[in-house]
Amino acid sequence: MNPTFAMWRKSLTQLIKMEDRKEWDALDILSKWFIATRSAVGTITIYSGIIGGLLAWRYLFANSKPFDFATWLILTLGLFIAHGTNNLLNDYTDFSRGIDKDNYFRTQYGVHPLAQGFWDKPTALRWFFVSGILATLAGIYAVFYTNFAPVVIWLFAVGAFILLFYTYPLKYVGIGELSIFIIWGPLMIGGVYFVLTGLWDWSVILASIPVGLNVVTINLGKHTDKLREDKVKGVRTMPVLLGETAARIVTMSAIVLSYIITLYLIFVTRSLLP
C-alpha cells in the first residue's frame, strides 16, 4: 500500500505517538492534520452526520422527495473539520496556559506538535485558521442552502461559540461536558436533519440525545481519570467540581439513560417511522 494512504488510514483509526521530529517533517499535509487534530476520535462526528443524514433520508424517501447527497457530504465533512479545528485550538490554548506540560495526560496518548516542538505557536495558529476557514465555509453553505433559515443561523452561531470557547473558559468552569452533549447530539444531528429536510423535528432531537450522551461519556471518563491533575492545574471540569464518585455516577447514568431513550423510541413512540 502507498505509505501516504497507509498513514491516512492509520491516523483515522488510531491515535498516533511520534517522538522523532524528522519523521513528523516527512509527513504530508493531510497526515499532519489527521494526527494533530486526533482525527481517529473525530470519527464520532462523522457518526453524528451519518445519523442525521439517515433520519433525513428516511423522511424524504417516505415523502417521495430527493436526498441531496452532496449537501449531506459538505455538512458532514464541515463538521468533521470543525471538530479538528477545535482540537487544534484546544492544544494551543492549553499549551499557552501551561497545562500541557510535565507529562500531562494530553501528551501521553498522541502527538502534541506544540508541546513536542514540532510546531511553533505561529505555525499552529496558521493551521487553526486554515482549518477554521474550511469549516466556516461549510456553515456558510448551509446558511445559503436554507435561504438564511433562522434555525440554521442560530445553530451555526452556537456551534462557532462552543468551538472557540470550549477549551477556555467553558471547560474550566464545568460547562465543557454540557457543550459536548449539545454539539454531538441535538446540534449536529438535528442540524443536519433540518438542512436536508427543512424541518425541526423534536422526535429527531430526542433520537439525538443518546448519541450526545454517549459522546459526552468519553470526556467524562477522560476527565475523571485525570481529575487530580486537572484540580492541581486549575482546570475545573465537571468531575473536578463533582468529585470522583459523583462523576462516575453521572457517567454511568448517562450510559443507562441513552439506552432507556433508545428503547423508548423503538418500542413506545415509534415516532421516527414513516
Side-chain angles (χ1 to χ4, degrees):
M1 177 182 288
N2 184 296
T4 298
F5 293 154
M7 179 54 75
W8 291 355
R9 185 178 69 176
K10 183 178 180 181
S11 57
L12 285 168
T13 55
Q14 60 184 281
L15 294 171
I16 307 293
K17 279 290 290 179
M18 190 177 295
E19 304 297 338
D20 188 350
R21 171 67 184 269
K22 291 182 180 179
E23 185 181 4
W24 172 262
D25 289 339
L27 295 173
D28 64 283
I29 291 177
L30 267 182
S31 293
K32 288 181 178 178
W33 191 87
F34 288 149
I35 294 171
T37 61
R38 291 162 272 158
S39 290
V41 180
T43 51
I44 59 175
T45 301
I46 295 177
Y47 298 153
S48 290
I50 290 173
I51 293 169
L54 285 173
L55 292 174
W57 173 83
R58 189 181 184 87
Y59 168 81
L60 293 168
F61 180 80
N63 290 275
S64 302
K65 296 180 180 180
F67 178 82
D68 193 333
F69 180 82
T71 295
W72 170 81
L73 186 62
I74 290 171
L75 294 174
T76 302
L77 288 178
L79 292 170
F80 176 71
I81 295 171
H83 185 178
T85 303
N86 172 261
N87 283 345
L88 290 173
L89 182 60
N90 184 79
D91 284 352
Y92 181 88
T93 302
D94 281 349
F95 177 79
S96 299
R97 294 179 62 84
I99 302 298
D100 290 340
K101 65 178 183 179
D102 302 327
N103 200 34
Y104 184 65
F105 186 79
R106 169 64 185 93
T107 61
Q108 295 177 26
Y109 65 80
V111 171
H112 191 316
L114 277 170
Q116 294 180 250
F118 294 171
W119 285 345
D120 57 17
K121 292 175 72 172
T123 300
L125 283 176
R126 285 195 293 271
W127 280 76
F128 165 74
F129 281 120
V130 172
S131 185
I133 288 170
L134 293 175
T136 301
L137 287 175
I140 292 173
Y141 172 85
V143 171
F144 275 91
Y145 183 83
T146 57
N147 294 315
F148 295 85
V151 170
V152 176
I153 294 173
W154 273 105
L155 292 174
F156 188 14
V158 171
F161 176 83
I162 293 177
L163 185 153
L164 292 172
F165 298 107
Y166 163 77
T167 305
Y168 187 84
L170 300 181
K171 188 174 71 174
Y172 282 70
V173 294
I175 306 178
E177 292 84 1
L178 176 62
S179 302
I180 288 170
F181 164 73
I182 292 171
I183 287 286
W184 273 271
L187 192 147
M188 285 191 185
I189 295 175
V192 169
Y193 184 89
F194 182 89
V195 172
L196 293 173
T197 66
L199 299 173
W200 184 260
D201 190 330
W202 287 105
S203 61
V204 170
I205 301 306
L206 181 60
S208 76
I209 290 177
V211 181
L213 288 172
N214 278 282
V215 173
V216 81
T217 59
I218 299 172
N219 274 67
L220 282 169
K222 182 176 70 173
H223 292 167
T224 301
D225 285 344
K226 60 190 184 79
L227 184 154
R228 294 173 181 83
E229 292 84 352
D230 281 343
K231 190 172 184 179
V232 170
K233 290 175 178 286
V235 184
R236 294 180 295 276
T237 61
M238 185 180 292
V240 170
L241 296 177
L242 295 178
E244 183 173 347
T245 300
R248 293 187 183 279
I249 292 173
V250 169
T251 304
M252 291 186 290
S253 299
I255 295 171
V256 172
L257 182 59
S258 70
Y259 280 100
I260 292 174
I261 294 174
T262 301
L263 292 173
Y264 174 79
L265 286 167
I266 293 172
F267 295 108
V268 180
T269 68
R270 301 188 178 185
S271 57
L272 297 179
L273 293 175

